[in-house]
C-alpha cells in the first residue's frame, strides 16, 4: 500500500514484492434496482471486484457500504448475517451437489441458516417458480440440461430473497441460444422484483443487452462508468473505444441521439387559426408544420394545402404518427422510410422532441456513431 501511495505502478510493485494490485481506487455507487455490469478483459480485476463486495476477498483498504453499513468493519458473525439476508452470489460453475435433488440444492443455504424444512422448501419452491423450474424439484442435476442447471443455481441464490444479487460470469459457460434466454429471464426477473444485480461479464454484447450501466475495467482500474449509450457516445479513452469497435451502434443508440428541431411548430391556443398558421409557415418557407398543445404534446402534421381546405387547424391535420425517443435506431428504419414527412419523435408522455429526416437516418446508418453524437 505504501508503494501504491507513492505512485509506483502495478508491474513495479509486483517486481519488488511479488504482490498483485487486484483493484485500485475503485470508487462508485450502484443504484437500487439496477443491473450494473462490470466488464473487462481477463485479468482486468472484475472478478476480484465483485468478490470484494461480499468480502470473499478482504479489501486491503477502503470501504464497502451496503445500505449505510460499512461491511469491512463487521465481525464474522455479522458478515454471515449480511450474506444470508442481503447478498447472494451466482458463479460461472453451477456448483450443484449431484447427490441432492433440485429442491434440496436450492434450499441448502437456508438449511445451513437453521431454517426448518417446511419453510425452506416453501422458499425454494417460490424461487424455482421464478426461474421456471417448479416441476423439477425432485429431479437431480444430472437429469437437467446446462441451462436448467444454471437456473437452479440462480434459484438457490434467490431462495433467501436477497436485496443484492452478485453474478460472476454466470452465463458464460452456456450455449449462445441458452445464454440469450437466460439474459431475457434475468431482465424479466429484475423487472418484477427490482433487485439490485451486479453482473460480471467479458462479453460486450451481453453487457450492452442487460446492463443499465456498465463499468469497464483495465489493469485493476475502472476506466469508465456509464450507460451503454453514454460510453459509446463519449468513450473515456482509447481502451474503452476499442471495446466498441465493430459494434452495431444502431441497435444501442436511440432516436433521441439523431433527433433535430428543424420543422416549424404551431401552438394550439385561442386566437391562432388557419390563417395565422398559414402565414407562419409561409414566413418559415416550409410546406408543413407540427401542431402542438401549449404543454408541448404532439397533435399532428398540417400542410399548407390542408390549411387551405379546412376551417380549423385540428381538421387540417393530415398525419399524427410518432415514435418514442427511446426507440433504437435499428427499429425505426421502416417508420422513417414510410413517412411522407420527417418522422416525429416524442417522449413517453407524448411531448414533441423533434423529428428525424431520411437523410439524417441514412447518414447515421452509413457512418455509424460519428453521425449519432
Amino acid at each position: 500500500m505504501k508503494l501504491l501511495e507513492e505512485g509506483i505502478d502495478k508491474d513495479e510493485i509486483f517486481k519488488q514484492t511479488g504482490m498483485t494490485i487486484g483493484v485500485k481506487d475503485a470508487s462508485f455507487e450502484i443504484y437500487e434496482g439496477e443491473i450494473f455490469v462490470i466488464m473487462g478483459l481477463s485479468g482486468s480485476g472484475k472478478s476480484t471486484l465483485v468478490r470484494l463486495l461480499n468480502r470473499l476477498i478482504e479489501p486491503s483498504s477502503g470501504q464497502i457500504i451496503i445500505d449505510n453499513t460499512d461491511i469491512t468493519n463487521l465481525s464474522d458473525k455479522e458478515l454471515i448475517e449480511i450474506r444470508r439476508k442481503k447478498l447472494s452470489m451466482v458463479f460461472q460453475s453451477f456448483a450443484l451437489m449431484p447427490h441432492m435433488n433440485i429442491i434440496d440444492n436450492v434450499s441448502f443455504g437456508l438449511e445451513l441458516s437453521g431454517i426448518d424444512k417446511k419453510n425452506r422448501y416453501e422458499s425454494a419452491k417460490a424461487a424455482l417458480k421464478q426461474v421456471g423450474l417448479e416441476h423439477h424439484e425432485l429431479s437431480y442435476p444430472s437429469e437437467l440440461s446446462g441451462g436448467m442447471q444454471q437456473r437452479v443455481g440462480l434459484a438457490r441464490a434467490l431462495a433467501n430473497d436477497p436485496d443484492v444479487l452478485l453474478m460472476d460470469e454466470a452465463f458464460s459457460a452456456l450455449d449462445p441460444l441458452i445464454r440469450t434466454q437466460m439474459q431475457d429471464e434475468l431482465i424479466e426477473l429484475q423487472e418484477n422484483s427490482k433487485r439490485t444485480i451486479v453482473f460480471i461479464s467479458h462479453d460486450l454484447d451481453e453487457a450492452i443487452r442487460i446492463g443499465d450501466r456498465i463499468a469497464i475495467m483495465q489493469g485493476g482500474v475502472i476506466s469508465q462508468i456509464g450507460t451503454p449509450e453514454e460510453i459509446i457516445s463519449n468513450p473515456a479513452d482509447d481502451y474503452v473505444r476499442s471495446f466498441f469497435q465493430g459494434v452495431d451502434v444502431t441497435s444501442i443508440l436511440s432516436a433521441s441521439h439523431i433527433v433535430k428541431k428543424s420543422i416549424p411548430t404551431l401552438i394550439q391556443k385561442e386566437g391562432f387559426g388557419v390563417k395565422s398558421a398559414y402565414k407562419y409557415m409561409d414566413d418559415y418557407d416550409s410546406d408543413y408544420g407540427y401542431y402542438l398543445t401549449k404543454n408541448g404534446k404532439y397533435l399532428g402534421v398540417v400542410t399548407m394545402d390542408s390549411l387551405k381546405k379546412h376551417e380549423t387547424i385540428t381538421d387540417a391535420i393530415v398525419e399524427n404518427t410518432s415514435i418514442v425517443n427511446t426507440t433504437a435506431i435499428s427499429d425505426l428504419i421502416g417508420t422513417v422510410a414510410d413517412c411522407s414527412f420527417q418522422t416525429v419523435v416524442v417522449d413517453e408522455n407524448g411531448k414533441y422532441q423533434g423529428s428525424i429526416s431520411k437523410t439524417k437516418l441514412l447518414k447515421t446508418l452509413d457512418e455509424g456513431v460519428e453521425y449519432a453524437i
Side-chain angles (χ1 to χ4, degrees):
M1 291 302 300
K2 186 173 184 295
L3 293 173
L4 193 62
E5 290 166 2
E6 291 174 358
I8 307 299
D9 66 31
K10 179 180 178 179
D11 293 337
E12 181 62 28
I13 290 175
F14 180 76
K15 186 185 296 184
Q16 291 186 31
T17 67
M19 303 181 77
T20 298
I21 306 302
V23 177
K24 175 185 175 183
D25 294 336
S27 182
F28 58 92
E29 292 181 325
I30 298 172
Y31 306 135
E32 183 177 3
E34 79 170 331
I35 299 180
F36 185 86
V37 178
I38 304 171
M39 69 170 301
L41 301 178
S42 179
S44 62
K46 56 188 185 296
S47 291
T48 300
L49 179 54
V50 78
R51 283 167 167 75
L52 287 169
L53 299 182
N54 61 359
R55 277 179 58 189
L56 286 180
I57 295 176
E58 289 289 345
S60 303
S61 66
Q63 295 177 301
I64 301 159
I65 299 170
I66 301 175
D67 288 340
N68 298 318
T69 299
D70 182 359
I71 70 167
T72 59
N73 294 325
L74 298 182
S75 66
D76 289 346
K77 183 177 180 181
E78 291 170 325
L79 181 59
I80 288 171
E81 282 301 300
I82 287 283
R83 288 173 177 168
R84 286 176 175 172
K85 295 179 179 179
K86 281 188 173 293
L87 298 169
S88 281
M89 193 160 188
V90 184
F91 297 93
Q92 178 179 347
S93 61
F94 309 141
L96 303 181
M97 286 171 257
H99 65 287
M100 288 185 176
N101 62 24
I102 298 308
I103 195 166
D104 285 332
N105 263 285
V106 172
S107 62
F108 183 66
L110 298 175
E111 183 179 359
L112 293 179
S113 298
I115 307 298
D116 65 84
K117 186 173 183 178
K118 179 183 177 182
N119 285 322
R120 69 174 183 259
Y121 271 24
E122 285 180 357
S123 296
K125 287 178 180 179
L128 283 167
K129 187 174 182 180
Q130 289 184 71
V131 298
L133 291 177
E134 62 267 34
H135 301 304
H136 293 272
E137 57 190 52
L138 299 181
S139 301
Y140 284 83
S142 61
E143 299 171 328
L144 303 183
S145 68
M148 294 170 77
Q149 289 183 44
Q150 190 59 288
R151 285 190 180 92
V152 176
L154 181 56
R156 182 175 54 197
L158 295 172
N160 67 334
D161 195 25
D163 295 332
V164 180
L165 196 59
L166 307 176
M167 305 185 71
D168 189 5
E169 304 219 39
F171 303 153
S172 62
L174 302 175
D175 293 334
L177 181 58
I178 298 173
R179 187 173 187 170
T180 300
Q181 291 172 347
M182 288 298 294
Q183 292 168 3
D184 291 340
E185 290 184 15
L186 182 67
I187 293 169
E188 182 179 356
L189 187 69
Q190 193 266 355
E191 180 66 24
N192 293 334
S193 64
K194 297 300 181 186
R195 264 187 197 88
T196 303
I197 299 173
V198 183
F199 195 99
I200 304 301
S201 179
H202 65 270
D203 187 302
L204 178 61
D205 290 335
E206 183 171 66
I208 290 170
R209 192 163 191 268
I210 70 172
D212 295 308
R213 288 189 301 151
I214 300 172
I216 298 180
M217 294 192 70
Q218 178 189 24
V221 177
I222 296 177
S223 298
Q224 187 170 2
I225 295 176
T227 66
E229 293 184 0
E230 288 170 347
I231 295 176
I232 287 172
S233 299
N234 296 289
D237 53 35
D238 289 340
Y239 176 75
V240 175
R241 190 175 291 108
S242 69
F243 261 96
F244 292 91
Q245 288 179 354
V247 173
D248 178 12
V249 298
T250 65
S251 64
I252 303 163
L253 299 176
S254 63
S256 62
H257 288 88
I258 58 173
V259 68
K260 299 290 183 183
K261 290 186 176 180
S262 57
I263 304 300
T265 55
L266 314 169
I267 307 301
Q268 184 185 55
K269 58 185 178 181
E270 189 175 348
F272 187 83
V274 292
K275 292 181 179 179
S276 300
Y278 189 93
K279 177 67 167 60
Y280 180 75
M281 287 198 297
D282 187 46
D283 290 344
Y284 209 99
D285 196 23
S286 176
D287 293 329
Y288 66 95
Y290 300 134
Y291 194 35
L292 314 178
T293 64
K294 284 184 179 179
N295 65 359
K297 188 173 182 179
Y298 173 66
L299 297 174
V301 180
V302 296
T303 68
M304 298 283 275
D305 287 339
S306 68
L307 287 170
K308 291 177 183 178
K309 299 173 183 177
H310 296 89
E311 295 184 359
T312 68
I313 301 176
T314 301
D315 290 338
I317 292 175
V318 296
E319 184 181 284
N320 61 2
T321 303
S322 63
I323 58 172
V324 180
N325 56 3
T326 54
T327 304
I329 291 173
S330 58
D331 293 334
L332 57 85
I333 295 172
T335 303
V336 174
D338 293 339
C339 191
S340 303
F341 311 95
Q342 290 194 23
T343 302
V344 173
V345 179
V346 299
D347 66 11
E348 63 276 8
N349 298 314
K351 288 188 176 182
Y352 173 75
Q353 304 292 294
S355 60
I356 300 171
S357 67
K358 292 180 176 67
T359 300
K360 180 65 177 177
L361 178 61
L362 287 172
K363 285 183 176 180
T364 302
L365 295 174
D366 183 48
E367 300 293 340
V369 72
E370 178 183 349
Y371 280 99
I373 59 178

